[in-house]
């Protein structure tokens, strides 16, 4: 079993950016963690193929939480590879499937009301991005402490950034896939953009929780791999 970091390069506002979805390889089966923005399917596929793996072996997609840079291409993956088993927390699955309006959209609409004029255009654009996301039903809903992927991976509830956010702990690899519970910034693990955190206090508790696991490697979606 191993975890691969998939560096995906893209341009935003004229600047070069990266996200780092993770690929878990177990018994020749692949599990992708998070799917990038909308239209990122090909970018992610290319990274998987570049590492010598075949898309026909993609068995699962795990979504850490509902945010446009994590679920943007989920619908496209499910359309192209209909056999994929999609896994998310019970809380986040309600937003991903469209049963409930997402917390992020509620937050964005509330923030728009008090935005300075120069930011309103971006605020409206961001809301539209969220509204354009296509809903996908979740096949497997997980909870804190659940063991998945042949009991090699423990689901760790890490609320704060969103209320149903999960991270993934692999005891045999001494590794954690953090989602947005931690970002790698200036050679340390910190909470993701506090401006977007739905509950900063809980986000800080969740960061402490995954640090206590004393993993040697933290796979951060933003900032990339952090090794102790």
């Amino acid at each position: 079993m191993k975890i691969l970091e998939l560096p995906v390069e893209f341009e935003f506002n004229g600047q070069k950016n990266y996200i780092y979805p993770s690929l878990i390889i177990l018994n020749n089966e692949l599990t992708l963690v998070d799917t990038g923005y909308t239209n990122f399917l090909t970018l992610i596929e290319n990274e998987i193929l570049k590492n010598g793996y075949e898309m026909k072996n993609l068995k699962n997609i795990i979504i850490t939480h509902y945010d446009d840079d994590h679920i943007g291409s989920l619908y496209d993956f499910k359309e192209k590879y209909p056999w994929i088993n999609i896994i998310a927390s019970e809380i986040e699955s309600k937003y991903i499937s469209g049963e409930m309006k997402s917390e992020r959209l509620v937050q964005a609409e509330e923030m728009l009301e008090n935005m300075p004029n120069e930011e309103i255009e971006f605020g409206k654009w961001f809301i539209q991005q969220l509204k354009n996301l296509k809903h996908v039903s979740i096949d497997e809903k997980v909870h804190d402490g659940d063991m998945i992927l042949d009991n090699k991976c423990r689901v760790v509830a890490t609320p704060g950034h969103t209320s149903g956010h999960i991270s993934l702990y692999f005891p045999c690899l001494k590794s954690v896939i953090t989602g947005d519970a931690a970002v790698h910034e200036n050679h340390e693990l910190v909470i993701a953009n506090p401006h977007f955190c739905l509950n900063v206090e809980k986000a800080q508790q969740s960061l402490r929780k995954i640090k206590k696991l004393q993993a040697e490697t933290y796979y951060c979606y933003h900032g990339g791999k952090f090794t102790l």
Side-chain angles (χ1 to χ4, degrees):
M1 183 191 199
K2 63 177 175 176
I3 299 170
L4 276 183
E5 178 179 76
L6 303 175
V8 176
E9 184 187 316
F10 63 101
E11 207 174 276
F12 185 73
N13 280 346
Q15 287 185 313
K16 197 182 279 187
N17 279 276
Y18 286 90
I19 52 166
Y20 299 89
S22 298
L23 188 70
I24 302 157
I25 300 101
L26 176 62
N27 306 330
N28 295 319
E29 288 180 341
L30 307 177
T31 298
L32 175 67
V33 183
D34 293 328
T35 64
Y37 288 99
T38 308
N39 300 323
F40 270 39
L41 176 116
T42 308
L43 293 172
I44 293 171
E45 275 179 338
N46 289 344
E47 282 303 315
I48 292 172
L49 297 170
K50 201 191 283 181
N51 281 286
Y53 296 99
E54 294 183 66
M55 296 306 296
K56 67 178 185 187
N57 295 326
L58 183 60
K59 188 188 176 188
N60 307 295
I61 291 180
I62 300 174
I63 297 293
T64 58
H65 66 294
Y66 181 105
D67 251 335
D68 64 334
D69 56 333
H70 293 256
I71 67 158
S73 290
L74 181 61
Y75 180 87
D76 294 344
F77 270 99
K78 187 69 173 180
E79 281 283 285
K80 190 167 180 181
Y81 308 108
W83 63 82
I84 291 174
N85 179 50
I86 300 175
I87 302 168
S89 75
E90 179 110 38
I91 296 169
E92 298 294 307
S93 67
K94 291 173 188 167
Y95 310 128
I96 299 166
S97 66
E99 284 170 62
M100 286 177 70
K101 186 175 182 177
S102 80
E103 297 171 304
R104 187 64 74 217
L105 181 54
V106 171
Q107 180 195 41
E109 288 174 341
E110 285 173 357
M111 285 169 81
L112 187 66
E113 292 172 18
N114 302 307
M115 261 185 188
N117 287 341
E118 65 273 14
E119 289 178 25
I120 282 177
E121 196 180 331
F122 172 79
K124 285 181 175 172
W125 172 84
F126 183 62
I127 286 169
Q128 199 52 53
Q129 292 296 105
L130 293 173
K131 285 183 173 175
N132 290 345
L133 291 170
K134 292 178 178 170
H135 301 308
V136 183
S137 59
I138 302 302
D139 302 302
E140 192 178 334
K141 296 169 186 178
V142 294
H143 304 87
D144 189 38
D146 284 357
M147 297 300 293
I148 57 172
L149 306 181
D150 289 352
N151 289 325
K152 299 278 197 300
C153 170
R154 190 171 98 213
V155 175
V156 183
T158 44
H161 189 74
T162 64
S163 58
H165 191 293
I166 55 170
S167 301
L168 306 168
Y169 175 47
F170 301 82
C172 62
L173 297 175
K174 295 186 175 172
S175 297
V176 175
I177 295 175
T178 69
D180 281 356
V183 298
H184 182 188
E185 217 171 76
N186 301 323
H187 309 296
E188 60 177 339
L189 292 176
V190 295
I191 62 166
N193 193 338
H195 188 58
F196 279 105
C197 272
L198 288 166
N199 186 319
V200 174
E201 200 177 313
K202 278 188 178 171
Q204 285 164 341
Q205 284 169 4
S206 291
L207 178 63
R208 288 196 290 273
K209 185 178 182 179
I210 56 174
K211 281 182 174 177
K212 270 186 190 161
L213 295 170
Q214 295 183 316
E216 290 171 2
T217 309
Y218 289 84
Y219 291 87
C220 300
Y221 196 75
H222 300 286
K225 193 162 65 173
F226 176 82
T227 310
L228 288 171

